[in-house]
Amino acid sequence: MAEVSATMVKELREKTGAGMMDCKKALSETGGDFVKAEEWLRKKGIAKAGSKEGRVAAEGIISTYVHSGRIGVMVEVNCETDFVARNEDFQALAKDVAMHIAAASPQFVRREEIPADVLEKEKEIQRAQLKEAGKPEAMWEKILVGKIEKYYETVCLVDQFWVKDDKKRMHEMITERAAKIGEKVSVRRFARFVVGEGIEKKKDDLAAEVAKTLGTAQA
């Protein structure tokens, strides 16, 4: 059996949730190979690869991305252990999420975060458009279901199509990468900044300036 350090055991325990002695034995049996050790634990039924639902992703990183000095993004992406938070694949995933946010400009992470009044306002707008288009009122609610799904695709990060692969939604990309990483992964929150956004820019009114100048001259 290979000699195993306490640090190796700790990292495997954090990743799999298995006991210290089980992790030590798994690493010893597999020559210190983390991937094979995790597989060994799973085969023994000590660590399970099944559903990640219910598992808490409270570790992770804050990733940043700046495009041409004019668009900046900060995003918090969570995983289950600090060991995975240091993993290159996990960090690459977080960077891809930040780049996507910069390009696609979502407003929310997921549809459940949309305030009820904002969603109702969107429905009102869609109903008004259906009325303007002459659609029978009896069909509005049925049509509205598809319209709201399209709205989610526009404003919700996980429902958007990934900018690097327009046949794959963001939640699909994240799930696939999480499976490779081996832990539950979730995007918690983000902030997107655009230079000058929200600042009322001064617009020169030439006619007003001329009138003001003439008025001053006449005075």
Side-chain angles (χ1 to χ4, degrees):
M1 291 187 180
E3 188 173 342
V4 178
S5 70
T7 300
M8 293 168 67
V9 173
K10 179 177 180 291
E11 290 179 345
L12 183 60
R13 182 176 184 276
E14 289 176 343
K15 184 174 183 181
T16 64
M20 296 290 283
M21 294 305 296
D22 290 321
C23 289
K24 183 176 181 179
K25 187 173 181 180
L27 287 164
S28 296
E29 292 287 349
T30 57
D33 187 306
F34 274 90
V35 174
K36 290 181 179 178
E38 187 177 359
E39 289 177 358
W40 187 93
L41 288 168
R42 287 175 176 172
K43 287 176 181 177
K44 297 291 184 181
I46 299 169
K48 297 180 180 178
S51 174
K52 295 180 177 63
E53 292 302 318
R55 286 157 61 175
V56 179
E59 297 294 337
I61 61 172
I62 293 174
S63 187
T64 61
Y65 175 74
V66 178
H67 181 74
S68 301
R70 299 191 61 80
I71 300 175
V73 170
M74 294 180 67
V75 59
E76 179 180 347
V77 183
N78 299 123
C79 57
E80 296 176 59
T81 65
D82 59 357
F83 173 75
V84 165
R86 299 192 299 271
N87 180 280
E88 289 184 3
D89 289 337
F90 177 77
Q91 294 182 1
L93 166 60
K95 182 64 71 174
D96 275 341
V97 172
M99 291 173 65
H100 174 89
I101 293 169
S105 188
Q107 297 176 37
F108 310 94
V109 176
R110 50 191 62 85
R111 60 183 67 184
E112 292 81 7
E113 297 174 3
I114 303 175
D117 60 328
V118 172
L119 187 58
E120 187 53 42
K121 184 66 177 179
E122 178 63 24
K123 289 179 180 179
E124 287 178 12
I125 292 170
Q126 295 293 350
R127 289 188 187 102
Q129 291 178 355
L130 290 171
K131 182 178 180 180
E132 187 69 21
K135 298 293 183 181
E137 188 171 349
M139 295 178 60
W140 288 2
E141 294 308 309
K142 185 176 181 180
I143 297 172
L144 201 59
V145 173
K147 295 278 188 182
I148 294 302
E149 281 297 321
K150 288 292 184 183
Y151 172 69
Y152 291 146
E153 291 176 12
T154 302
V155 302
C156 299
L157 169 66
V158 297
D159 288 311
Q160 291 179 329
F161 284 96
W162 188 22
V163 293
K164 289 186 176 182
D165 183 350
D166 61 7
K167 291 180 174 58
K168 186 177 295 183
R169 295 186 190 276
M170 284 297 287
H171 69 82
E172 295 172 323
M173 183 274 284
I174 293 169
T175 298
E176 288 177 5
R177 302 273 281 275
K180 180 181 178 183
I181 291 166
E183 284 195 2
K184 180 177 181 179
V185 173
S186 65
V187 179
R188 184 183 179 200
R189 55 187 170 175
F190 66 84
R192 184 177 184 274
F193 306 92
V194 179
V195 172
E197 187 175 47
I199 299 175
E200 185 176 349
K201 297 178 182 178
K202 182 179 178 182
K203 295 181 180 179
D204 295 328
D205 188 335
L206 184 58
E209 286 296 320
V210 171
K212 183 178 179 180
T213 302
L214 289 174
T216 302
Q218 290 173 357

